[in-house]
Amino acid sequence: MAKLLMKGAEAIGEAAIAADCRLFFGYPITPQNEIPEYMSLRLPQVGGTFVQAESEVAASNMLYGAGGSGARVFTSSSSPGISLMMEALSYLAGAEVPVVIVNIMRAGPGLGGILPAQADYFQATKGGGHGDYRCIVLAPWSVQDAADLIMDAFDLADFYRNPVLMIGDALIAQMMEPVEIREGRKPCKPLAPKDWATTGNKGRKPNIINSLILDPEDLERHNRRLKAKFDSMERDEVRWASYNTDGDYDILIAAYGTPARVCLTAVNELKEKGVNVGLFRPITLWPFPYAPLREKAKKAKAVLTVELSTGQMVEDVRTAVCEDLPVHFYGRQGGILVTPDEVVEQVTALLGGARPKGARKGGKA
Amino acid sequence: MAKLLMKGAEAIGEAAIAADCRLFFGYPITPQNEIPEYMSLRLPQVGGTFVQAESEVAASNMLYGAGGSGARVFTSSSSPGISLMMEALSYLAGAEVPVVIVNIMRAGPGLGGILPAQADYFQATKGGGHGDYRCIVLAPWSVQDAADLIMDAFDLADFYRNPVLMIGDALIAQMMEPVEIREGRKPCKPLAPKDWATTGNKGRKPNIINSLILDPEDLERHNRRLKAKFDSMERDEVRWASYNTDGDYDILIAAYGTPARVCLTAVNELKEKGVNVGLFRPITLWPFPYAPLREKAKKAKAVLTVELSTGQMVEDVRTAVCEDLPVHFYGRQGGILVTPDEVVEQVTALLGGARPKGARKGGKA
Amino acid sequence: MQNEMILAGFGGQGVLLIGKMLAYAGMKEGKEVSWLPSYGPEMRGGTCNCTVVVSDKPVGSPVVKSPNIMIALNRPSLDKFEPSVRPEGILLINSSLIDRKAERKDVDVLYVRANEVAIECGSPKAANMVALGALVGKTGMVGVESVKAAIAKTFEGKEKIIQLNYKALERGVAIGKGEAQ
Amino acid sequence: MQNEMILAGFGGQGVLLIGKMLAYAGMKEGKEVSWLPSYGPEMRGGTCNCTVVVSDKPVGSPVVKSPNIMIALNRPSLDKFEPSVRPEGILLINSSLIDRKAERKDVDVLYVRANEVAIECGSPKAANMVALGALVGKTGMVGVESVKAAIAKTFEGKEKIIQLNYKALERGVAIGKGEAQ
Amino acid sequence: MSELTVFKRPEALLPVTMHYCPGCTHGISHRLVAEALDELGLRERTVGVAPVGCSVLAYDYFNCDFHEASHGRAPAVATGIKRARPDLIVFTYQGDGDLASIGMAEIVHAANRGEKITVIFVNNAIYGMTGGQMAPTTMPGQVATTCPLGRDTNLAGFPIRMAELLSALVTPAFIARGSLHSPLEVVKTKALIKRAFQYQREGTCFSLVECLSTCPTNWGITPTDSLKWLEENMLPYYPLGIKKTPEGKEA
Amino acid sequence: MSELTVFKRPEALLPVTMHYCPGCTHGISHRLVAEALDELGLRERTVGVAPVGCSVLAYDYFNCDFHEASHGRAPAVATGIKRARPDLIVFTYQGDGDLASIGMAEIVHAANRGEKITVIFVNNAIYGMTGGQMAPTTMPGQVATTCPLGRDTNLAGFPIRMAELLSALVTPAFIARGSLHSPLEVVKTKALIKRAFQYQREGTCFSLVECLSTCPTNWGITPTDSLKWLEENMLPYYPLGIKKTPEGKEA
Amino acid sequence: MSKITIDPNKCKGCELCVKACPEQILAMGKQLNVKGYFYAQVAEQPRCIGCRICCIVCPDVAIEMAVQGTMYKYFDY
Amino acid sequence: MSKITIDPNKCKGCELCVKACPEQILAMGKQLNVKGYFYAQVAEQPRCIGCRICCIVCPDVAIEMAVQGTMYKYFDY
Ligand SMILES: Cc1ncc(C[n+]2csc(CCOP(=O)(O)OP(=O)(O)O)c2C)c(N)n1
Ligand SMILES: Cc1ncc(C[n+]2csc(CCOP(=O)(O)OP(=O)(O)O)c2C)c(N)n1
Ligand code: SF4
Ligand code: SF4
Ligand code: SF4
Ligand code: SF4
Ligand code: SF4
Ligand code: SF4
Ligand SMILES: [Mg+2]
Ligand SMILES: [Mg+2]
């Protein structure tokens, strides 16, 4: 298929349809309104259904019902709306219902602002809901990436029978870029028929979608089975990319989403000046690519983590490299994007040995 | 005041009243119903007000209003109910409204069960809501501790103008123990008058409780000011205790809440057998006592983390000790409590060099 | 010395109450105590139990898997908990309602006709007090006076009930001491 | 070569549209492109802008702080963005609506009577096309044919509008090349 | 003459003992739903949605597919199922805490969107499962564990009449209230439930039947006295009957 | 003869330009509330609760204490304030998405508890702030960005008449609907708002005034046409007047 | 002739059937069932009029009814 | 005699007052204000009957009215 110039929001919607998703339940919130708006127009055209839910609480529970009945379904929202889905998310994971949830992150906390941010990293990766559960968290850095990853998201959800999150800063939804929606692609995981779904028990025993297990031994078994599943995701689903890491470098930058692109621009600019800096980009934020990052960090003298938050992923970066080398943090907040110049300045200062202006050793005390 | 034999739930309520809290908004959920029930009886007797909210979403927003108008106020709930408060929690932190929220944790995920668990550690400590915010998280291990800590919780909330969480496994609320409610105590922090509260603007400019900041530069400033506040909590509010750590020990156990008591029993039993094992108990789960734990771990050859989850605090333990020594994990789930025998067995196996049955290297891949 | 007890019976038999009284009496005497009820969505109508620890040292686990003392006021409770009692432990069986003998040979079994004795005392509901008395009489874990204080506090203002309960308690104590059934 | 542009004007002037057309034309020619609108709760009624990057290499930041090209279709936009243009950059000013000259001396300023020219072309709404044409004429960043393809696609089926826009575009191109105002 | 079984456990109800307290009328409404599904031949294409409340284990009792919802959100879950699979028959079974308190927004909006689902609303004027707290439907003066001195209408307002409230919406629906306190009312309630499912089968409209029910355990009285208490206290406040039909009048 | 100013900006409204689009009647309802507070002498003991919606910045316009709520939860926030400080006058100002969609449970329950607060409900049949999505109050056939072919009542149901819905509750309250589309209706709506605050001042009951309002921007027509559109399309569906009084009848 | 069968192990002894039977022919037994409940029993089967009221009010669906021959339908159930 | 004052910088040019004035004495100006709006102006002050309708419909509270002497109260506002 030819490349189209599309808004990220629309590309996400179109890619979901190409991945055979025919259902969307959602509630408006800036800066992702173009996703439900697009779905409200497109889904009826392809025989699908769009429902504007009364709230994000309701939307996430509609997902729960639809996913439980075997449908491919997704919703999207932005930070405050995602917080309202935390109970349902825990239920989805507990009852093993595959759905896809997109968070187009805006600045917080609270009502905050509507400009891009990445401050929901903790919520997404550490579990904003209650109980022992995990979700694969995908982080696109371009419109094409968003379209590709959401298609995989449906497959991953179905394969593991677990909710999958895709989180992007607001730019991912708002910008237009050339994108190719890969029609007729193969699923990224082998998929079994959904014989567990609630579709009417004609000729079989009732199927039950449920997370209540009153017997503690049974619940413990369930918890351990889930844990084993999450362990297998940690083993099999780690995704990442690195740039300019073939040669030598003193600094390794770690960043995801749009800031990673900004960092890449900085890396290229520095390269032109003869300074080699590596870039490491986690694509799955959970499972986090601890081992690959550590490996890539071996050549460096310091890691610089760049985020649109006051420092969240930096904790995982620190965990990954442990005490092998110092981990610095540079972040912008409030909806402000980092610029290539800022990144260049940070790197230059680090190379000069100085603690760069505005940077701090993020994370733990 | 003489010691009383009280249920944890009642002690929490009575201590809150002794700390001048006169307002409770909440919604029933097992295993903490005795807290709202007690408050519904007691508050009217002391001139206070109890309101049964229509949901946890509403309860947490009632807290937001009441706290904003300068009142001391708290709510309690259990895991699924707490998930429903995540949006409000982010607003409370963003708008800097001091309130206290108690989570009497039950087994999850989803509806799970109603027996004790500690699987909401991530949610409480890493931020279950959206955006860059933190809450002090207190973890009592006895009824007395719960009564003492909730009084401090109100002071900490007021001092920092930030929500404070107290999280306990269900046993904390359900068991009865002797407890002394310290009347007339001094606040644990110096408290300023709440001149920011919405109390009518007679003779002054309007006070506004708000987290919306549309100008990105302003919002970034706000984020950084909040971050500085959280940093000061990390500096000043770390609480922990250790047991049997004066002499030498090969194993250091890390545990919080009721399991820490179980571990202490095991430590004492082992001591009788001539085996010295240390116990480290974080009292604030956030800020986590990284440095003290690392210090205490120096003498040991291995750390054993014991939790009622599939492994959550263990990640912070690992971060704390980094690669100084191996961190093992032993947990029970589904509402089952660890027993002293199990802990003894784990320790014995570790000392014998064997990987104990049921234990695993928790945490990251 | 640490006593870890499970007290179990039907919903209305008052096992939670005597558990609290034991804990209260222990506290009065300066001991470390804890009391923990079973709770669950299905507790209604079924059996009901609580765990009480009375100890000289701080109480570790308030949950007890292997009690050294077990009171069974009805048959299902005996069936459920008998196997868990520690060897050399004490098993108190309400023989008024339980139609079988203990199966364990390695524990000290005390049969108490709690319901009959309670009726004899004029308060059919006080079978739990008889059992409590028997336990205290047998073990001396807490003083009878302390338990009486607990009774007095529980039924504050209801002098008649207090006296009836005292009586049932004392009859139980005597039984526990082996003085009479 | 990487062109980083900010296109700004009033809400109804169609700056978002010509931004998209530029990106589309770039994409047609195999270039890397990105388009990003300003968005905010207060965008209504006020000014409106978008950022377009057309480049030979993958686009890093789709957000641009210092564009090398700036189109100002109204006065507030000029006031806001003029200082950010990179030295040696291009500043295109719609002199139909903007009553002042550029203050910057280190940029290449092009004044275009976009509204008047559009009216002359018979489509008063096509001032944005005139400006777009002028930019393309001046820089050659993308081919005129590619922009025409973008116009044809945007107004698919509306032949008359397409032709009017072509005309406005071509007039703009001529102005951009310095051939005529 | 051959023997003919004229009353037996419906096929849609599994042959298991339910966990409800003795005399709790939850069991009756379960049976009525099961009978309706059997008689209309819908069981094999039905998905039930269980609430959080005493009937949380409904999935263990019905012989059809089931989905356990989070507290109060059953109408949203049902919406998800029905929109995904309009060919299925979807019903929720909800208590008064679940539907009228935490789930208020979800039930109002499902009704207002006109979701083609059936809601069985069991109103026992209390939170049964959590041990007797006040519900939005608790009667004035009624004692509950969170209103130990009785519901004070000055502080907690009056009980909500959900059937009437939902009938105030414009979207066509079938909404009725029955009671389980007497044989006659049980029979009438069954007819309402059956009719509700019929509307769903035809794809006509949203349907809801409120069933006045007892909670002997938390009301603290015997099952028999509970029936009387319901009749004397709830019935005058919660009038029985059909409140709304899609035809616009009682037909 | 001396000059007397007979109409001016009320003291309770700060002398700033509001961000609303030209012709948006949000500005009128702001003024009416401010006038009511001034005329009743309540300003200095009033706390307003701002919603999430176009009026999210209300706290920048009113000259009294304000609390910004999360989306839909203003009635819960107001409950918190009023229960903590019954001496204060507490009002919420909410849009139709805020109050009738995500905040349905909170408004129904605040009304049902009989919270002594005043709710100003601005119904403009659309989500203004987020750019024109369908609201629960959007008219049948009305185009919105999430119903690009017009609201289909088969899929999305009929618009919710909040004033009528809330009036179906038993708890005493003052509930009325006014409109801002003509000078006369503005005057009448002001009287309703004033009366609502009077009830609160006396501690009588919950009070709510629904104000039919315009959104020229998202309706895509001029301010003047918007008034006409409101009159022709909304008025027949949303009848004006007092729906409920605590006295039980219109007094 | 109608025959009532009460499943002793399904019955929870709530007595609703006993109170509801218009002929007063049901009674509580004196034996406990597996769940520990005294269960209802049919005291005078022959007097049963087959009204099914007991079946209808039993919350635990513990009662079944069979008829021999035709049955008068009191109400359409 | 009543006097209408329209604050040019508060006015957003919505024209509601212009359309509402029963005497048709308000009109849109030809100049832009600081916010870029054409603002309303009083064209024929003397014909003003002091009905305050313009004030009442102005969403931006941009209009004030003063009177000299007494004013007829059309309605209690
Ligand atoms: C989010 C959440 N809040 C609270 C609870 C606790 N809870 C379980 S059931 C219930 C209410 C049950 O009452 P009702 O709906 O009337 O059903 P009943 O038991 O009376 O049939 C509550 C509050 C929960 N499980 N989840
Ligand atoms: C939890 C949450 N969901 C969604 C939003 C996005 N949002 C902001 S305002 C709004 C609706 C506004 O519509 P309305 O209440 O009708 O007010 P109006 O703008 O029309 O005055 C929405 C959905 C949000 N801020 N928070
Ligand atoms: S608690 Fe009440 S509602 Fe629940 S099963 Fe028992 S009687 Fe029924
Ligand atoms: S978008 Fe609509 S509601 Fe919002 S300010 Fe503009 S006109 Fe008013
Ligand atoms: S069928 Fe009627 S008469 Fe026969 S036992 Fe049942 S209730 Fe009594
Ligand atoms: S109604 Fe049913 S459960 Fe109750 S006593 Fe009769 S047979 Fe037993
Ligand atoms: S007061 Fe009346 S007559 Fe005078 S300008 Fe205003 S609307 Fe016109
Ligand atoms: S009504 Fe007000 S804002 Fe509108 S034109 Fe008149 S003065 Fe200006
Ligand atoms: Mg109930
Ligand atoms: Mg609106």
Side-chain angles (χ1 to χ4, degrees), chain B residues 99-110:
Chain B
V99 303
V100 174
I101 297 173
V102 176
N103 179 5
I104 301 299
M105 292 179 281
R106 57 190 249 182

PDB file of all heavy atoms in Angstrom, chain B residues 99-110:
ATOM      1  N   VAL B  99      -4.749  15.336  52.540  1.00  0.00           N
ATOM      2  CA  VAL B  99      -5.752  14.387  53.015  1.00  0.00           C
ATOM      3  C   VAL B  99      -5.038  13.083  53.346  1.00  0.00           C
ATOM      4  O   VAL B  99      -3.877  12.899  52.972  1.00  0.00           O
ATOM      5  CB  VAL B  99      -6.836  14.079  51.951  1.00  0.00           C
ATOM      6  CG1 VAL B  99      -7.533  15.341  51.470  1.00  0.00           C
ATOM      7  CG2 VAL B  99      -6.229  13.336  50.767  1.00  0.00           C
ATOM      8  N   VAL B 100      -5.739  12.210  54.034  1.00  0.00           N
ATOM      9  CA  VAL B 100      -5.168  10.906  54.374  1.00  0.00           C
ATOM     10  C   VAL B 100      -6.045   9.806  53.781  1.00  0.00           C
ATOM     11  O   VAL B 100      -7.270   9.874  53.875  1.00  0.00           O
ATOM     12  CB  VAL B 100      -5.047  10.745  55.906  1.00  0.00           C
ATOM     13  CG1 VAL B 100      -4.600   9.338  56.262  1.00  0.00           C
ATOM     14  CG2 VAL B 100      -4.073  11.786  56.470  1.00  0.00           C
ATOM     15  N   ILE B 101      -5.404   8.850  53.143  1.00  0.00           N
ATOM     16  CA  ILE B 101      -6.117   7.737  52.527  1.00  0.00           C
ATOM     17  C   ILE B 101      -5.541   6.427  53.055  1.00  0.00           C
ATOM     18  O   ILE B 101      -4.328   6.229  53.032  1.00  0.00           O
ATOM     19  CB  ILE B 101      -5.984   7.792  50.989  1.00  0.00           C
ATOM     20  CG1 ILE B 101      -6.651   9.070  50.454  1.00  0.00           C
ATOM     21  CG2 ILE B 101      -6.607   6.551  50.344  1.00  0.00           C
ATOM     22  CD1 ILE B 101      -6.443   9.306  48.968  1.00  0.00           C
ATOM     23  N   VAL B 102      -6.421   5.587  53.557  1.00  0.00           N
ATOM     24  CA  VAL B 102      -5.996   4.302  54.112  1.00  0.00           C
ATOM     25  C   VAL B 102      -6.393   3.189  53.156  1.00  0.00           C
ATOM     26  O   VAL B 102      -7.540   3.123  52.731  1.00  0.00           O
ATOM     27  CB  VAL B 102      -6.654   4.072  55.495  1.00  0.00           C
ATOM     28  CG1 VAL B 102      -6.296   2.694  56.029  1.00  0.00           C
ATOM     29  CG2 VAL B 102      -6.235   5.167  56.483  1.00  0.00           C
ATOM     30  N   ASN B 103      -5.458   2.347  52.821  1.00  0.00           N
ATOM     31  CA  ASN B 103      -5.738   1.177  51.981  1.00  0.00           C
ATOM     32  C   ASN B 103      -5.500  -0.087  52.797  1.00  0.00           C
ATOM     33  O   ASN B 103      -4.365  -0.401  53.152  1.00  0.00           O
ATOM     34  CB  ASN B 103      -4.839   1.181  50.732  1.00  0.00           C
ATOM     35  CG  ASN B 103      -5.091  -0.034  49.832  1.00  0.00           C
ATOM     36  OD1 ASN B 103      -5.986  -0.838  50.080  1.00  0.00           O
ATOM     37  ND2 ASN B 103      -4.292  -0.164  48.778  1.00  0.00           N
ATOM     38  N   ILE B 104      -6.600  -0.783  53.100  1.00  0.00           N
ATOM     39  CA  ILE B 104      -6.488  -2.076  53.781  1.00  0.00           C
ATOM     40  C   ILE B 104      -6.495  -3.127  52.683  1.00  0.00           C
ATOM     41  O   ILE B 104      -7.540  -3.533  52.182  1.00  0.00           O
ATOM     42  CB  ILE B 104      -7.666  -2.267  54.768  1.00  0.00           C
ATOM     43  CG1 ILE B 104      -7.680  -1.146  55.815  1.00  0.00           C
ATOM     44  CG2 ILE B 104      -7.604  -3.642  55.416  1.00  0.00           C
ATOM     45  CD1 ILE B 104      -6.451  -1.067  56.695  1.00  0.00           C
ATOM     46  N   MET B 105      -5.293  -3.555  52.330  1.00  0.00           N
ATOM     47  CA  MET B 105      -5.116  -4.328  51.097  1.00  0.00           C
ATOM     48  C   MET B 105      -5.661  -5.748  51.158  1.00  0.00           C
ATOM     49  O   MET B 105      -5.453  -6.462  52.118  1.00  0.00           O
ATOM     50  CB  MET B 105      -3.627  -4.405  50.753  1.00  0.00           C
ATOM     51  CG  MET B 105      -3.028  -3.085  50.342  1.00  0.00           C
ATOM     52  SD  MET B 105      -1.264  -3.284  49.979  1.00  0.00           S
ATOM     53  CE  MET B 105      -0.577  -3.300  51.644  1.00  0.00           C
ATOM     54  N   ARG B 106      -6.337  -6.119  50.076  1.00  0.00           N
ATOM     55  CA  ARG B 106      -6.817  -7.484  49.930  1.00  0.00           C
ATOM     56  C   ARG B 106      -6.194  -8.095  48.678  1.00  0.00           C
ATOM     57  O   ARG B 106      -5.521  -7.401  47.911  1.00  0.00           O
ATOM     58  CB  ARG B 106      -8.333  -7.502  49.842  1.00  0.00           C
ATOM     59  CG  ARG B 106      -8.886  -6.656  48.723  1.00  0.00           C
ATOM     60  CD  ARG B 106     -10.390  -6.517  48.850  1.00  0.00           C
ATOM     61  NE  ARG B 106     -11.069  -7.231  47.780  1.00  0.00           N
ATOM     62  CZ  ARG B 106     -12.393  -7.247  47.628  1.00  0.00           C
ATOM     63  NH1 ARG B 106     -13.164  -6.613  48.494  1.00  0.00           N
ATOM     64  NH2 ARG B 106     -12.948  -7.898  46.647  1.00  0.00           N
ATOM     65  N   ALA B 107      -6.421  -9.367  48.507  1.00  0.00           N
ATOM     66  CA  ALA B 107      -5.768 -10.061  47.401  1.00  0.00           C
ATOM     67  C   ALA B 107      -6.368  -9.649  46.067  1.00  0.00           C
ATOM     68  O   ALA B 107      -7.567  -9.459  45.948  1.00  0.00           O
ATOM     69  CB  ALA B 107      -5.876 -11.568  47.598  1.00  0.00           C
ATOM     70  N   GLY B 108      -5.563  -9.497  45.076  1.00  0.00           N
ATOM     71  CA  GLY B 108      -5.990  -9.125  43.743  1.00  0.00           C
ATOM     72  C   GLY B 108      -5.353 -10.045  42.747  1.00  0.00           C
ATOM     73  O   GLY B 108      -4.884 -11.120  43.131  1.00  0.00           O
ATOM     74  N   PRO B 109      -5.271  -9.657  41.492  1.00  0.00           N
ATOM     75  CA  PRO B 109      -5.857  -8.451  40.896  1.00  0.00           C
ATOM     76  C   PRO B 109      -7.354  -8.626  40.637  1.00  0.00           C
ATOM     77  O   PRO B 109      -7.890  -9.697  40.882  1.00  0.00           O
ATOM     78  CB  PRO B 109      -5.089  -8.331  39.573  1.00  0.00           C
ATOM     79  CG  PRO B 109      -4.704  -9.725  39.219  1.00  0.00           C
ATOM     80  CD  PRO B 109      -4.510 -10.448  40.524  1.00  0.00           C
ATOM     81  N   GLY B 110      -7.988  -7.552  40.158  1.00  0.00           N
ATOM     82  CA  GLY B 110      -9.414  -7.591  39.918  1.00  0.00           C
ATOM     83  C   GLY B 110     -10.169  -7.693  41.225  1.00  0.00           C
ATOM     84  O   GLY B 110      -9.777  -7.115  42.234  1.00  0.00           O
TER      85      GLY B 110
END
